Coordinates of all heavy atoms in Angstrom, one line a residue:
P38 N 113.7 89.8 111.1 CA 114.9 89.3 110.5 C 114.9 87.7 110.6 O 115.6 87.0 109.8 CB 116.0 89.9 111.4 CG 115.4 91.1 112.1 CD 114.0 90.8 112.1
V39 N 114.3 87.2 111.7 CA 114.3 85.7 111.9 C 113.5 85.1 110.8 O 113.8 84.1 110.2 CB 113.7 85.4 113.3 CG1 113.6 83.9 113.5 CG2 114.6 86.0 114.4
F40 N 112.4 85.8 110.5 CA 111.5 85.3 109.4 C 112.3 85.3 108.1 O 112.2 84.3 107.3 CB 110.3 86.1 109.3 CG 109.4 85.8 108.0 CD1 108.7 84.6 108.0 CD2 109.5 86.6 106.9 CE1 108.0 84.3 106.9 CE2 108.8 86.3 105.8 CZ 108.0 85.1 105.8
L41 N 113.0 86.4 107.8 CA 113.7 86.5 106.5 C 114.8 85.3 106.4 O 114.9 84.7 105.4 CB 114.4 87.8 106.4 CG 113.5 89.0 106.2 CD1 114.2 90.3 106.2 CD2 112.6 88.9 104.9
T42 N 115.5 85.1 107.5 CA 116.4 84.0 107.5 C 115.8 82.7 107.3 O 116.2 81.8 106.5 CB 117.3 84.1 108.8 OG1 117.9 85.4 108.9 CG2 118.3 83.0 108.9
A43 N 114.7 82.5 108.1 CA 114.1 81.1 108.1 C 113.4 80.9 106.7 O 113.4 79.7 106.3 CB 113.0 81.1 109.1
S44 N 112.9 81.9 106.1 CA 112.2 81.7 104.8 C 113.1 81.7 103.6 O 112.8 81.3 102.5 CB 111.1 82.7 104.7 OG 111.6 84.0 104.4
G45 N 114.3 82.3 103.8 CA 115.2 82.5 102.7 C 114.7 83.6 101.7 O 115.2 83.6 100.6
T46 N 113.9 84.4 102.1 CA 113.3 85.5 101.3 C 113.9 86.8 101.6 O 114.1 87.1 102.7 CB 111.8 85.5 101.6 OG1 111.2 84.3 101.4 CG2 111.1 86.6 100.7
G47 N 114.3 87.5 100.5 CA 114.8 88.9 100.7 C 113.7 89.8 100.7 O 112.5 89.6 100.3
I48 N 114.0 91.0 101.2 CA 113.0 92.0 101.3 C 112.4 92.4 100.0 O 111.2 92.6 99.8 CB 113.6 93.3 102.0 CG1 113.9 92.9 103.5 CG2 112.7 94.5 101.9 CD1 114.6 94.1 104.2
A49 N 113.2 92.4 98.9 CA 112.7 92.7 97.6 C 111.7 91.6 97.1 O 110.8 92.0 96.3 CB 113.9 92.8 96.6
E50 N 111.8 90.5 97.5 CA 110.9 89.4 97.1 C 109.6 89.4 97.8 O 108.6 88.8 97.3 CB 111.6 88.0 97.3 CG 112.8 87.7 96.5 CD 113.4 86.3 96.9 OE1 112.9 85.4 96.4 OE2 114.2 86.4 97.9
L51 N 109.5 90.0 98.9 CA 108.3 89.9 99.8 C 107.0 90.3 99.0 O 106.0 89.6 99.0 CB 108.4 90.7 101.0 CG 109.3 90.1 102.1 CD1 109.3 91.0 103.3 CD2 108.8 88.7 102.5
R52 N 107.1 91.5 98.3 CA 105.9 91.9 97.7 C 105.4 91.0 96.6 O 104.2 90.7 96.5 CB 106.2 93.3 97.1 CG 104.9 93.9 96.5 CD 105.1 95.4 96.2 NE 105.2 96.0 97.5 CZ 105.2 97.3 97.6 NH1 105.4 98.1 96.5 NH2 105.3 97.9 98.7
S53 N 106.3 90.4 95.8 CA 105.9 89.5 94.7 C 105.4 88.1 95.3 O 104.5 87.6 94.7 CB 107.0 89.3 93.7 OG 108.1 88.6 94.3
R54 N 106.0 87.7 96.4 CA 105.6 86.4 96.9 C 104.4 86.5 97.8 O 103.8 85.5 98.2 CB 106.7 85.8 97.7 CG 107.9 85.6 96.8 CD 109.0 84.8 97.3 NE 108.5 83.4 97.5 CZ 109.0 82.4 98.2 NH1 110.1 82.8 98.9 NH2 108.5 81.2 98.3
A55 N 103.9 87.7 98.2 CA 102.8 87.9 99.1 C 101.5 87.4 98.6 O 100.5 87.2 99.4 CB 102.7 89.4 99.6
T56 N 101.4 87.1 97.4 CA 100.2 86.6 96.8 C 100.2 85.1 96.5 O 99.3 84.5 96.0 CB 99.8 87.3 95.5 OG1 100.8 87.2 94.5 CG2 99.5 88.8 95.8
D57 N 101.4 84.5 96.7 CA 101.6 83.1 96.5 C 101.0 82.2 97.7 O 101.5 82.4 98.8 CB 103.1 82.8 96.3 CG 103.4 81.3 96.1 OD1 102.5 80.5 96.0 OD2 104.6 81.0 96.0
P58 N 100.0 81.4 97.4 CA 99.4 80.6 98.5 C 100.5 79.7 99.3 O 100.4 79.6 100.5 CB 98.3 79.8 97.9 CG 98.0 80.6 96.7 CD 99.3 81.2 96.2
D59 N 101.5 79.2 98.6 CA 102.5 78.4 99.2 C 103.4 79.2 100.1 O 103.7 78.8 101.2 CB 103.4 77.7 98.2 CG 102.6 76.6 97.4 OD1 101.9 75.9 98.0 OD2 102.8 76.5 96.2
F60 N 103.7 80.5 99.7 CA 104.4 81.3 100.6 C 103.6 81.8 101.8 O 104.1 81.8 102.9 CB 105.0 82.5 99.8 CG 105.7 83.5 100.6 CD1 107.0 83.2 101.0 CD2 105.2 84.7 101.0 CE1 107.7 84.0 101.8 CE2 105.9 85.6 101.7 CZ 107.2 85.3 102.2
L61 N 102.3 82.0 101.6 CA 101.5 82.4 102.7 C 101.3 81.3 103.7 O 101.3 81.6 104.9 CB 100.2 82.9 102.2 CG 100.2 84.2 101.3 CD1 98.9 84.5 100.7 CD2 100.7 85.4 102.1
A62 N 101.3 80.1 103.2 CA 101.3 78.9 104.1 C 102.6 78.9 105.0 O 102.5 78.6 106.1 CB 101.2 77.7 103.3
A63 N 103.7 79.2 104.3 CA 105.0 79.3 105.0 C 105.0 80.4 106.1 O 105.5 80.2 107.2 CB 106.1 79.4 104.1

Side-chain angles (χ1 to χ4, degrees):
V39 177
F40 172 75
L41 292 176
T42 300
S44 68
T46 304
I48 293 173
E50 294 176 84
L51 284 179
R52 186 167 288 184
S53 65
R54 297 194 70 197
T56 59
D57 176 7
D59 290 320
F60 179 71
L61 294 174

